Amino acid sequence: MAKESTIRTPIVCVMGHVDHGKTSLLDRIRGSSVVSTEEGEITQHIGATLVPIDAVTRMGGALSKVSVNVPGLLFIDTPGHHAFTTLRARGGALADMAIVVVDINEGFRPQTIEALQILRNYKTPFVIAANKVDRIHGWRVQENQPFLKTFAQQNERVQGMVETKVYELVGKLSDLGFNSERFDRVSDFARNICIVPTSALTGEGLPDILMVLIGLAQRYMTESLKVSADGPGAGTVLEVKEERGLGMTLDLILYDGTLKVGDEIVVAGNDQIIETKVRSLLKPRPMSEILIEERFERVKSVTAAAGIKVAAPKLDGVIAGSPLRAVRSGNRDEVIEQVRREVQDIEVNLSDVGVIIRADTIGALEALSKELEGHQIQVMRATVGPVTRHDVIEAGTIKDPLYSAIIAFNTPVLPDAVDALADTAMSHVSIFEGGVIYQLIDDYVEWRDEKKQ
Ligand code: GDP
Ligand code: MG
C-alpha cells in the first residue's frame, strides 16, 4: 500500500517580552473568525488555533501572490514565556516557526533577546511583529488593513516615526547577529528577518504577519512538513488536565500522522513510561453550538497538525511536554524505546570539569546548555529539578574553581542547598538563579572574570 505524503500545517509559537502583546495578537487573529462562517473558517483547537490558507489569503496581505501549498497555520495558545522550549518534538522544538512580538515603542527587553537567542540556537525561522504601532502619537487607525495600506494613510511625521522605530529594531537585531529589514523591502527570506509593524488592538499588519509566515514555510520547510497522513500519530503533550466526566485527559498537539480512537499509545510519566489506549478524542465545540450541554465534540480520528484532547485510562502522572506516540503494526517495544529516549536524551555535551546546571523542564535545560555551549562554558552535569544540597557539595569539589558554580534556570534552590552553601567550606561556590538565560550567563561570566583576577 503506497503511503501518500502530504504537507502538514506548520506549527507556530508566539514569543516575546511580557506585556508586548502576545496574547492580544493571537486573540485578534482568532477574533477574525467570528465575522466569517464561510469555507476556510478559523477554528479553535485544543490548545491551538487553526488558520486555514483560505482565511489567510482572504485577509489579503502584501505577499498574497506567493504560490501556496501549505494548508494553513496552527498557532499554539500556550501561556507563559518558556512554552517554546518546554514543547519539544523529535529532540528539537515543537514549533516550526515563531512570531517574536516586540512593543515598537519600548524596543527589545530581556525576554525578547532571550527569545531571539533560543530561535537562533534551534535554527527556527521567525518574523518580528513590531507591535502597538497604533500607540504612535497621531496614528490613524485603518482596522484590519495590511501594513502598506494603513501606512500610506498616515501623515509624514507618523511615517517618519515608524521608520525610525523600525531602524532601531534593525540595529538591535544586527547587534545580535541578524540581518533584518521592514518586510516589504525583503526579497530573500533566507538572508533577512522580516519586521512587520502591527497592532494587535486594531488588526493592522496582521495580514502581513500571516503572509510572511506562509512565505517562510514555503521557503524553508516544505520538505520537513511532509508527513504520511495515514502513519501512526505522534505528538507533544501541552497539558495534563482532569475534566468532569472524562477523568484525566491530555491536551495534545499532534504533529505527525493520524491518531484514532482505540489506538494504543505510549507517553512519559513522572517516573515511568505509560502504555494505554485512546478512549476518546475531543475537539472544542464551535461557538455557534455553545448551548449544547457537552463542552466537547467527539471525533473518531484526527490528522496532523492539530490540537486535540485525549481521554484514556492511566494518565495520572503524565508530564507536560512529554512525547506521545501511537503504536501500529506491532512495533510496541520500538515505540516505548523511542519515547524513553526522547525524554531522557537531552542534547548536552558534558565535560569532566564544568558548571552544574538545573532547569524546570527538559527543554529549558537544553536551551540553557545550548547557550552555554555558544559561550564556550563547559557543563559537568545537567538535570531537571530544583538545586539540591548534593549539587552544592559536588560544585565544591570541582577541580577548577572557575567552574564551582550552579546555574539554576526557572527552578528553585532547596533550603538544605542554601544551608550547605552557607558552610565556610563552600564559600567558593556560587549559585546563579533566574528566569532569563542570558542574564544568568552574564552573571556567571562576571563572577568568573572577577575570580580570574
Ligand atoms: P502579553 O503579555 O505579551 O501576552 O501581552 P498582552 O497581549 O496581554 O498585552 C498587554 C497589554 O498591552 C494589554 O493591555 C493589551 O491590551 C495591550 N496591547 C497589546 N497589543 C496592543 C496593541 O497593538 N496596541 C495597543 N494599543 N495595546 C496593545
Ligand atoms: Mg500573555
Side-chain angles (χ1 to χ4, degrees):
M1 192 173 61
K3 278 199 174 155
E4 223 176 284
S5 100
T6 45
I7 294 191
R8 73 159 166 82
T9 310
I11 298 166
V12 185
C13 193
V14 185
M15 305 169 79
H17 201 76
V18 66
D19 282 347
H20 281 196
K22 299 180 293 296
T23 305
S24 309
L25 199 80
L26 262 181
D27 282 350
R28 185 73 198 195
I29 291 172
R30 202 175 13 245
S32 338
S33 64
V34 184
V35 291
S36 146
T37 51
E38 309 161 38
E39 185 82 358
E41 189 179 4
I42 297 170
T43 49
Q44 181 72 35
H45 280 217
I46 296 288
T49 301
L50 179 71
V51 182
I53 196 67
D54 288 359
V56 176
T57 45
R58 198 173 55 234
M59 285 187 225
L63 303 172
S64 50
K65 283 182 213 78
V66 290
S67 71
V68 172
N69 55 5
V70 179
L73 297 166
L74 187 75
F75 291 93
I76 303 183
D77 297 354
T78 39
H81 171 59
H82 291 113
F84 184 87
T85 49
T86 305
L87 299 176
R88 291 154 48 87
R90 303 144 295 193
L94 169 66
D96 301 296
M97 296 189 281
I99 303 176
V100 176
V101 181
V102 52
D103 183 331
I104 196 169
N105 306 291
E106 267 196 29
F108 285 7
R109 307 280 295 131
Q111 287 169 354
T112 329
I113 295 167
E114 182 176 72
L116 293 167
Q117 289 174 335
I118 288 170
L119 292 169
R120 177 172 52 207
N121 290 341
Y122 283 87
K123 300 190 170 62
T124 306
F126 65 93
V127 53
I128 304 264
N131 196 36
K132 306 199 188 184
V133 72
D134 62 290
R135 284 252 182 99
I136 289 177
H137 191 70
W139 181 266
R140 293 213 305 256
V141 172
Q142 324 281 321
E143 199 98 359
N144 293 333
Q145 287 305 308
F147 170 74
L148 287 178
K149 274 201 181 156
T150 187
F151 188 69
Q153 299 299 314
Q154 308 303 325
N155 69 35
E156 248 173 58
R157 194 195 53 81
V158 171
Q159 288 186 344
M161 198 63 170
V162 173
E163 290 290 64
T164 307
K165 296 283 184 195
V166 167
Y167 276 109
E168 281 172 19
L169 298 182
V170 169
K172 280 278 154 38
L173 280 160
S174 160
D175 292 345
L176 292 165
F178 294 105
N179 290 320
S180 65
E181 250 303 354
R182 205 174 78 188
F183 72 103
D184 54 293
R185 300 182 188 123
V186 171
S187 54
D188 183 355
F189 287 172
R191 299 176 63 142
N192 281 296
I193 306 291
C194 290
I195 300 175
V196 183
T198 59
S199 167
L201 207 66
T202 69
E204 289 162 292
L206 295 197
D208 311 287
I209 283 280
L210 297 178
M211 290 314 295
V212 170
L213 288 171
I214 298 284
L216 285 175
Q218 281 185 328
R219 200 60 60 93
Y220 279 116
M221 48 184 60
T222 30
E223 274 310 306
S224 60
L225 293 173
K226 275 191 184 146
V227 293
S228 60
D230 56 354
T236 301
V237 175
L238 275 185
E239 271 190 86
V240 186
K241 272 192 214 156
E242 172 111 45
E243 298 279 1
R244 193 160 33 87
L246 294 169
M248 209 50 101
T249 65
L250 306 179
D251 287 2
L252 181 79
I253 300 291
L254 189 74
Y255 61 76
D256 200 357
T258 297
L259 192 64
K260 297 178 179 144
V261 170
D263 270 352
E264 251 185 87
I265 51 169
V266 178
V267 65
N270 266 324
D271 37 33
Q272 91 264 41
I273 300 292
I274 296 167
E275 292 168 69
T276 182
K277 210 170 212 180
V278 177
R279 192 194 303 133
S280 33
L281 294 171
L282 305 129
K283 294 201 315 194
R285 282 203 179 275
M287 293 283 239
S288 52
E289 298 173 28
I290 206 84
L291 292 176
I292 295 173
E293 186 83 22
E294 270 209 41
R295 280 199 294 140
F296 302 107
E297 185 185 335
R298 282 159 202 270
V299 293
K300 289 217 169 69
S301 81
V302 60
T303 296
I308 190 88
K309 188 179 276 296
V310 179
K314 298 200 293 188
L315 294 180
D316 280 295
V318 172
I319 46 178
S322 152
L324 178 149
R325 285 177 176 271
V327 178
R328 290 267 180 86
S329 56
N331 62 343
R332 206 161 131 262
D333 292 346
E334 198 181 307
V335 171
I336 291 172
E337 191 45 37
Q338 263 176 356
V339 170
R340 195 189 306 280
R341 245 184 290 124
E342 276 186 59
V343 231
Q344 280 173 354
D345 277 12
I346 68 155
E347 284 182 43
V348 182
N349 297 318
L350 298 178
S351 311
D352 291 343
V353 176
V355 294
I356 290 175
I357 65 172
R358 286 278 189 180
D360 57 339
T361 63
I362 298 172
L365 199 62
E366 191 175 68
L368 171 61
S369 74
K370 278 189 189 215
E371 202 51 38
L372 286 164
E373 203 171 308
H375 284 77
Q376 273 104 41
I377 298 168
Q378 292 169 19
V379 176
M380 188 179 74
R381 195 156 55 74
T383 26
V384 170
V387 178
T388 64
R389 176 186 164 77
H390 180 77
D391 294 339
V392 175
I393 291 165
E394 204 175 348
T397 61
I398 292 171
K399 287 195 197 78
D400 184 345
L402 298 180
Y403 283 116
S404 291
I406 299 163
I407 300 179
F409 173 42
N410 245 9
T411 190
V413 178
L414 295 176
D416 61 352
V418 177
D419 291 347
L421 199 66
D423 193 319
T424 48
M426 294 294 148
S427 61
H428 61 299
V429 178
S430 265
I431 301 182
F432 300 92
E433 278 184 87
V436 178
I437 292 176
Y438 85 91
Q439 281 182 348
L440 284 169
I441 295 180
D442 282 356
D443 291 349
Y444 165 74
V445 168
E446 193 181 320
W447 171 85
R448 185 192 63 188
D449 292 349
E450 258 171 41
K451 266 199 160 183
K452 270 187 193 164
Q453 288 161 10

